[in-house]
């Protein structure tokens, strides 16, 4: 089996070692003898959108978001078409915000998003910082995920849009409505840094399976791995306080 990953703006959007999510995906493929290729694309570089099964865009501060936003608007139709074709997309924090309609920063400046997610983000005065635990119904099951959040932006989903999960610990999208992140087809936005995937292996494998199914056009079942160390890390993270 084979999976192809495109990492967007790795030089600009990569805080809290979010690159670790790519490392986790790669390693889980290697352990299973799945061919994995990872290519990086930054400003001015256009991927061949049909050539990838999973896109990754991570977080960054307002400055980096400003640098990325006009370039991302040029990539908007390619990325949206890929998502409509059931490619997988994982976006974290600042990347998640840029995929919504807009992000209004604390200084009043509005950074336009590409509207892939029907959501908007408005900065508040107090940053929402701390450990976060959510319960997600992704993949038809109750999935407890743990991460770390640090954002000024409050994200509000349009009516009818589905969050990634319900907040158990932490603030989530906006600290008001109990939602965290967003899911649209196989595209996911979340505020969870961490990096997220090394310890949330069920979530990593969910993304990997969807990406493999996108590549091969048929249902895929993943070989299980010895995740005892990762499960221990998750168990500890699930108990952390905000
Ligand atoms: N600049 C955004 C905010 O503070 C995103 C921060 C991030 O990606 N951690 O809301």
């Amino acid at each position: 089996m084979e999976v192809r990953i495109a990492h967007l703006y790795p030089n600009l959007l990569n805080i809290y070692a979010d690159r670790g999510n790519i490392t986790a995906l790669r390693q889980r493929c290697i352990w299973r003898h799945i061919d994995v290729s990872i290519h990086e694309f930054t400003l001015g570089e256009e991927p061949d959108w049909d050539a990838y099964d999973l896109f990754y865009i991570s977080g960054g501060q307002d400055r980096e978001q400003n640098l990325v936003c006009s370039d991302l608007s040029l990539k908007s139709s390619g990325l949206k078409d890929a998502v409509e074709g059931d490619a997988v997309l994982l976006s974290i924090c600042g990347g998640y915000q840029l995929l919504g309609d807009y992000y209004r920063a604390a200084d009043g400046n509005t950074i336009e998003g590409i509207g892939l997610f029907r959501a908007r983000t408005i900065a508040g005065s107090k940053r929402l910082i701390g450990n976060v635990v959510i319960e997600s119904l992704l993949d038809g099951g109750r999935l407890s995920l743990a991460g770390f959040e640090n954002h000024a932006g409050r994200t509000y989903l349009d009516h009818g849009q589905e969050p990634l999960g319900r907040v158990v610990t932490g603030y989530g999208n906006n600290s008001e409505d109990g939602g965290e992140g967003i899911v649209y087809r196989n595209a996911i936005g979340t505020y969870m840094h961490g990096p997220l995937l090394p310890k949330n292996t069920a979530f990593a494998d969910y993304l990997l399976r969807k990406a493999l199914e996108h590549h091969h056009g048929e249902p895929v079942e993943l070989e299980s791995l010895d995740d005892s160390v990762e499960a221990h890390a998750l168990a500890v993270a699930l108990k952390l306080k905000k």
Side-chain angles (χ1 to χ4, degrees), residues 122-144:
I122 296 143
S125 50
K126 177 179 174 280
R127 291 191 75 79
L128 307 178
I129 305 175
N131 297 308
V132 53
V133 173
I134 69 168
E135 260 182 22
S136 173
L137 292 178
L138 209 62
D139 212 15
R142 218 187 69 176
L143 203 60
S144 296

Side-chain angles (χ1 to χ4, degrees), residues 2-23:
E2 182 185 358
V3 68
R4 304 152 305 175
I5 297 174
H7 186 176
L8 304 181
Y9 310 111
N11 57 331
L12 292 168
L13 301 179
N14 175 37
I15 47 176
Y16 304 117
D18 278 341
R19 185 183 285 274
N21 290 326
I22 292 288
T23 306

